[in-house]
Amino acid sequence: MAGIEESGQGSTVGWVDPMGDPFLRTRFAPPTRPVTFLRRERLVEHLDQALLTPLTVVNGAAGAGKTLLVAEWVTGLGQPVAWFTADAADQQPGMFWAHVLQALRASGVPVPSDIRCPVDASRADRKLLAQLAAELSGRERPAIVVLDEYDRVTAPEIAEQLEFVLHHAGPGMRLILVTRTEPLLPVHRYRAAGDLTEIRNAELAFTPEEAAVLLELHGLRLPAHAVGALVDRTGGWAAGLRLCALAARESPDPERYLKEFEAGRSTVADYLLAEVLKRRTAETQDLLLRVSVLERLCPDLANALTQRTDAEPILAELHRENAFVEDLGHSWYRLHPLFGEILRAHLRERCPGLEPELHRRAARWLLSSGSLSETIVHGAAAGDWEFTAGAFVDGLAIGQLFTSLRRDELAELFSRMGPEATSPATDVVRAALDLSQCDLDRGLALLRHAEAALAADVPDAATDVPGPAAARLSCALLEALAARLAGSPLQAERAAEAAEELRQAVPAHLLGQHPELIALLLTHLGSTRLWAGRFADARTALSAAAGCPGGASTVLPREDSLGHLALIDYLNGWHGRAERKALAATTDSERFGLCGSSGSDIGRVVLAAVAVERNELDQAQALLDEAVGLRLATRDPVSATGRSIVTARLLLARGKTRAALAAVDAAVSADVASPWAQAHVALVASAAHLAEGRPDMAAEVLRQVPDEQLACVEAARAQLTAGRPAAALDLLDRLRTEGPAGPAVTVRATLTRAQAALEAGDSATAGKLVGQALLEARRERLRRPFLEAGPWIRRLLGTAPLQPLAAGWLTTGDAPRLETPAPLVVQELSERERDVLQRLAQTMSTEEIAADLCLSVNTVKTHLKSVYRKLAVNRRNEAVRRARELRLL
């Protein structure tokens, strides 16, 4: 460096700035990286593009790791880099350009002697800038210039001069700005021309994998789920992760510390309060503290909390300066999660008692803007339960307690509602919570109390307020659910009639926002009609529910209604149709991430019933096991009866007649008896008597259900076994030739006729009838009718005409022995189920799989059950073996 440089205005010492102060070497050197610094290759590779574009902007919040990232990249370049760390004192053009020239010289970039350091701190001569640009433009190798902390340079004049030099330097200069704020340069023009490299907050954030390595550098080795939770809480913020790691190292239980540390009392809080909050004006601090209670905010909402009108420019400035305020678009923002957590703690200390009032103001503003879900959250946080329940019920959202993806969250939220909250709306919500838990007595008592209060409330027709009508419609839904649980078709019909009248009084847009309410009501109505044996009427209501729009909001009632439609097909003997509907039901819920979450899970019960008919007994048991523990499945008469009948059928197939009788002996509480339920209980009893050699008792049991087609067939079998073929054929002749009877009925009837023909000595007719039964049963793989037929059929299956019809699905090869079929995959595995299966093959435990996939243990168990069902297995090793056979692994 030259000691003395001449200028037209005198001389200036080359190692001092225009103010006469010496240049500080630390401002011209990249900072040293700490030993715990993590080199992140994805970011370094992205920065390599800076060598190809004139301008690079590394823009992120305080502590995002911008400077250390660029310093690491510079160190690995192997070529000179001019580094200059700006300061607030560098606001004058002369000072700024003196430092830039010094940075170039310090890095070894030759600067001709005629390009002299400005002597006037307040200005930079245009000639100097033109000379510098011309000198740089002639370089064979571009000069790389890093301006760190460029956000401290706020003078528009300097930005214009920098743009002038950068533009005219052309390929001879690569400028890298490290900044917390959006630079005043015309970045949009560089972006449009493809001349810009950008790295911003989102990319600077640590991924869970990177965070795990960073923690290891600090001596901490944590499970994947703990690292993931920390990344979520810190938003991947580099400084937050490092400060948390340093603090956790001092704790005897680092994992617990990182999970439970008080954000408001930590080194992270000290950093953010000092770097972000305390640098702001009193008005900005007040706004940040008040909006910290919000998940997201807009200027009008912020103004409602501050009771001022200046939120819009403040929020825009905070976002521009990367002050942990993220722009969500359309004038909505959100705070960095950890920053918001720290601000809330600071709010409680600075303004005790203010937080509930802020939540109250937010709830009322959000309700007026139509954001019901956020209204409920803030109303509950304010402890204003009458307002919260009123908004929920008046908004016609009561169905969300049964169908929403947030139903567990809503149930937990309203469970905090104390007894002091008394209003019709609070009673409606409490009734819904109780009925969702199948507490019929308590739920009905609360519902009656709410209905009485609403009946006394005469609505003002001139106000166009939907509240009373919406509340009454909500009550009608709960009445329908109560009717379903009670097995009361009359009560359900009354609820449906009341709902139809009330729908006219509720604004159409409100009904359109909540299609789940009508879907639920139709499903409950259809279920009670099915219970009463009115299959055609039940199908009408259930088909309407299955066709309801609404996506995720109606997926559970759609699944439930499809499951009931599947049950109707099964009861009518159409097992293939039943299977298709039941599979559609479970597939739809899994598509929306609701695997195994149906209230009744009747679809899986039907699939189990079909599996029994196909003699796939292990698969049937696995399907039944999946529905264990669901409250509605045990309290709803249709679901409970369906499950007990299928369980009994499975036990009969395994030869456990006494256990089968016990399975259907458990009384199902209902206001009215179900004809099909009674019929199938009798069928189980008849089959048990027949299996134990009591055909007369079997026939006697079935005399109680003369109108049930399958009962007629089974009664004929009993008569034939008892040695009364004429009576058997008379029963079969009386079987309706038209109607909904499917192959499960007709195949058994045909086999019974074949047995009668064989016993009468007409083997030719018997063979033709068995062939007819085989053709009809093969389409749906109905094996149980042949297994239950008795020893006589094995001889016929071994005959030449029938062997081809039975081989491959019913018998093994040419032998007449009935085949136990290999399990089949009835459904494709989802992507998440494949993830679980791959880890299962690695002999990982359920807990290890959950940690590796960042899922809860219960969710992994649900996926495992689904995998077992789809692969038709019961154990882990069987699942892996079967998956390998199918080349899924």
Side-chain angles (χ1 to χ4, degrees):
M1 182 187 299
I4 301 290
E5 292 180 349
E6 297 293 325
S7 76
Q9 300 175 356
S11 63
T12 177
V13 179
W15 51 82
V16 297
D17 64 26
M19 300 296 292
D21 295 325
F23 289 116
L24 301 176
R25 292 185 179 181
T26 53
R27 298 184 65 187
F28 304 105
T32 303
R33 277 85 64 215
V35 293
T36 55
F37 175 79
L38 174 64
R39 177 185 172 91
R40 293 187 281 169
E41 291 298 333
R42 64 181 177 88
L43 295 179
V44 173
E45 290 175 6
H46 192 169
L47 260 180
D48 286 340
Q49 297 177 25
L51 300 174
L52 307 175
T53 58
L55 179 61
T56 295
V57 177
V58 182
N59 188 344
K66 311 178 294 296
T67 298
L68 291 179
L69 166 65
V70 177
E72 172 70 11
W73 176 74
V74 163
T75 303
L77 275 182
Q79 59 180 295
V81 174
W83 184 287
F84 165 42
T85 301
D87 189 89
D90 303 324
Q91 293 301 312
Q92 300 184 78
M95 286 288 288
F96 176 81
W97 286 105
H99 282 86
V100 171
L101 289 171
Q102 179 64 17
L104 288 167
R105 292 188 174 110
S107 68
V109 175
V111 179
S113 59
D114 58 340
I115 301 178
R116 299 177 178 178
C117 178
V119 294
D120 184 350
S122 65
R123 61 184 294 272
D125 188 82
R126 181 81 170 184
K127 180 180 178 181
L128 181 149
L129 301 177
Q131 288 177 318
L132 177 59
E135 174 62 27
L136 293 173
S137 68
R139 289 179 55 83
E140 292 183 5
R141 194 173 193 181
I144 301 172
V145 180
V146 176
L147 300 185
D148 189 22
E149 299 192 28
Y150 182 72
D151 48 279
R152 297 188 176 191
V153 181
T154 58
E157 184 181 359
I158 294 177
E160 291 176 7
Q161 294 169 349
L162 188 60
E163 158 63 9
F164 173 83
V165 172
L166 180 61
H167 175 70
H168 291 287
M173 183 179 181
R174 297 289 183 256
L175 177 62
I176 300 168
L177 302 181
V178 183
T179 177
R180 294 186 187 182
T181 65
E182 192 68 14
L184 295 177
L185 297 175
V187 174
H188 62 283
R189 290 211 300 263
Y190 286 91
R191 185 183 294 119
D195 289 337
L196 176 67
T197 298
E198 294 180 272
I199 295 179
R200 296 181 177 271
N201 256 328
E203 192 175 354
L204 289 167
F206 273 69
T207 65
E209 294 75 17
E210 291 169 345
V213 179
L214 179 67
L215 292 172
E216 287 183 11
L217 291 173
H218 286 78
L220 302 173
R221 185 180 293 273
L222 301 180
H225 67 87
V227 176
L230 181 62
V231 170
D232 288 341
R233 192 174 181 190
T234 60
W237 177 45
L241 289 169
R242 287 192 175 93
L243 291 170
C244 287
L246 290 170
R249 286 199 309 190
E250 306 302 319
S251 170
D253 188 347
E255 181 177 348
R256 183 174 181 181
Y257 171 84
L258 291 174
K259 180 181 179 182
E260 301 177 358
F261 75 89
E262 295 183 63
R265 300 178 182 276
S266 65
T267 55
V268 181
D270 296 338
Y271 182 95
L272 282 175
L273 293 175
E275 287 290 322
V276 181
L277 187 64
K278 292 178 181 177
R279 292 186 175 191
R280 306 292 160 184
T281 64
E283 291 78 12
T284 301
Q285 289 188 36
D286 179 69
L287 181 142
L288 283 171
L289 288 171
R290 288 171 181 260
V291 302
S292 67
V293 303
L294 303 169
E295 288 293 326
R296 64 183 190 124
L297 61 142
C298 67
D300 287 345
L301 177 53
N303 285 334
L305 269 59
T306 62
Q307 297 183 321
R308 304 198 311 263
T309 60
D310 57 354
E312 187 169 5
I314 291 176
L315 290 171
E317 180 184 8
L318 288 169
H319 169 63
R320 190 183 72 82
E321 295 182 1
N322 273 320
F324 295 89
V325 175
E326 180 183 350
D327 187 352
L328 301 176
H330 304 288
S331 297
W332 282 90
Y333 300 87
R334 70 179 172 196
L335 300 179
H336 182 283
L338 192 56
F339 187 39
E341 194 177 342
I342 291 167
L343 287 174
R344 286 190 293 275
H346 200 55
L347 172 69
R348 295 176 194 125
E349 289 184 3
R350 184 183 289 191
C351 307
L354 180 59
E355 192 172 0
E357 175 58 26
L358 294 173
H359 281 295
R360 188 173 289 107
R361 292 179 194 173
R364 279 156 175 76
W365 188 93
L366 288 161
L367 182 61
S368 68
S369 70
S371 182
L372 182 60
S373 60
E374 291 174 284
T375 296
I376 303 308
V377 171
H378 287 287
D384 194 344
W385 291 109
E386 292 182 13
F387 166 83
T388 304
F392 191 65
V393 174
D394 292 348
L396 211 62
I398 200 72
Q400 291 184 358
L401 286 170
F402 305 94
T403 67
S404 168
L405 298 177
R406 299 173 55 237
R407 65 195 185 284
D408 293 338
E409 176 188 337
L410 287 169
E412 192 279 329
L413 182 147
F414 279 112
S415 69
R416 304 198 301 267
M417 185 165 57
E420 70 282 355
T422 55
S423 70
T426 58
D427 282 342
V428 170
V429 172
R430 290 190 182 102
L433 291 173
D434 287 334
L435 290 173
S436 71
Q437 300 297 311
C438 297
D439 188 339
L440 186 58
D441 294 338
R442 181 177 169 83
L444 272 177
L446 287 164
L447 185 57
R448 298 285 180 263
H449 192 269
E451 288 170 337
L454 288 169
D457 180 13
V458 180
D460 182 358
T463 61
D464 194 29
V465 175
R472 290 188 178 92
L473 185 53
S474 299
C475 290
L477 168 65
L478 299 182
E479 286 283 3
L481 172 56
R484 174 180 176 178
L485 295 176
S488 177
L490 181 59
Q491 181 185 347
E493 296 293 343
R494 288 173 178 167
E497 290 172 5
E500 187 59 34
E501 292 181 8
L502 288 164
R503 287 175 65 178
Q504 311 307 315
V506 175
H509 76 274
L510 196 57
L511 281 170
Q513 291 170 5
H514 295 286
E516 72 277 356
L517 190 140
I518 301 303
L520 282 167
L521 195 144
L522 288 169
T523 302
H524 300 331
L525 177 64
S527 181
T528 55
R529 287 175 173 175
L530 193 162
W531 177 250
R534 295 162 50 197
F535 288 176
D537 292 338
R539 195 185 297 275
T540 298
L542 293 167
S543 297
C548 278
S553 67
T554 58
V555 64
L556 291 182
R558 292 203 310 269
E559 175 189 358
D560 205 11
S561 59
L562 278 171
H564 280 73
L565 289 168
L567 179 61
I568 293 174
D569 284 336
Y570 170 79
L571 293 174
N572 286 329
W574 295 96
H575 292 180
R577 296 178 189 174
E579 181 187 41
R580 287 190 291 274
K581 287 186 176 69
L583 283 174
T586 56
T587 302
D588 204 20
S589 62
E590 290 175 6
R591 183 165 62 93
F592 285 98
L594 294 167
C595 180
S597 59
S598 169
S600 66
D601 223 0
I602 191 67
R604 283 184 173 78
V605 172
V606 172
L607 288 174
V610 173
V612 170
E613 284 295 289
R614 292 172 177 171
N615 204 41
E616 297 164 358
L617 305 185
D618 289 343
Q619 183 178 345
Q621 186 63 63
L623 287 162
L624 287 173
D625 289 344
E626 288 184 25
V628 170
L630 296 172
R631 289 186 179 89
L632 190 55
T634 57
R635 185 64 181 82
D636 171 37
V638 171
S639 301
T641 301
R643 179 180 173 80
S644 67
I645 289 172
V646 176
T647 300
R649 288 283 182 193
L650 176 59
L651 291 167
L652 284 173
R654 287 175 166 165
K656 300 178 181 180
T657 55
R658 293 299 172 186
L661 289 171
V664 294
D665 192 43
V668 174
S669 176
D671 289 355
V672 301
S674 171
W676 62 265
Q678 290 179 321
H680 279 265
V681 169
L683 283 167
V684 170
S686 173
H689 289 312
L690 202 59
E692 294 179 350
R694 297 187 294 274
D696 290 331
M697 292 184 66
E700 182 63 29
V701 166
L702 293 175
R703 286 197 180 95
Q704 302 170 23
V705 283
D707 295 332
E708 219 286 337
Q709 295 186 79
L710 186 57
C712 184
V713 174
E714 292 304 304
R717 281 187 62 215
Q719 294 289 355
L720 191 60
T721 304
R724 294 187 286 271
L729 291 173
D730 183 56
L731 283 168
L732 293 176
D733 289 340
R734 285 192 287 144
L735 188 66
R736 293 194 302 270
T737 57
E738 296 182 0
V745 176
T746 55
V747 166
R748 282 181 167 85
T750 303
L751 288 177
T752 303
R753 288 186 182 277
Q755 183 181 359
L758 188 65
E759 292 181 2
D762 190 352
S763 57
T765 299
K768 289 179 181 178
L769 288 168
V770 171
Q772 179 183 332
L774 284 169
L775 285 171
E776 191 171 8
R778 183 170 61 181
R779 288 193 295 269
E780 298 191 1
R781 306 197 306 279
L782 298 177
R783 300 182 180 93
R784 289 307 308 169
F786 297 91
L787 291 166
E788 294 167 358
W792 64 271
I793 202 170
R794 286 170 171 76
R795 185 172 68 255
L796 286 176
L797 292 177
T799 60
L802 298 181
Q803 279 184 4
L805 297 177
W809 71 276
L810 184 63
T811 62
T812 303
D814 296 329
R817 179 174 60 84
L818 293 186
E819 177 191 51
T820 299
L824 302 170
V825 178
V826 297
Q827 196 176 340
E828 288 290 330
L829 298 183
S830 68
E831 184 177 349
R832 181 61 80 189
E833 289 165 353
R834 286 176 178 270
D835 291 340
V836 170
L837 183 60
Q838 287 171 357
R839 285 155 181 79
L840 206 65
Q842 298 169 18
T843 68
M844 294 173 68
S845 68
T846 303
E847 290 75 14
E848 288 170 336
I849 295 173
D852 196 42
L853 294 176
C854 297
L855 301 172
S856 70
V857 172
N858 285 337
T859 299
V860 172
K861 288 180 178 178
T862 299
H863 286 307
L864 284 174
K865 286 182 178 179
S866 184
V867 169
Y868 294 165
R869 173 177 62 79
K870 291 178 180 181
L871 296 180
V873 298
N874 293 318
R875 297 180 180 84
R876 288 170 166 248
N877 58 347
E878 293 175 353
V880 174
R881 177 184 56 76
R882 181 69 176 142
R884 285 178 175 143
E885 288 174 359
L886 296 170
R887 299 184 179 178
L888 298 177
L889 291 174

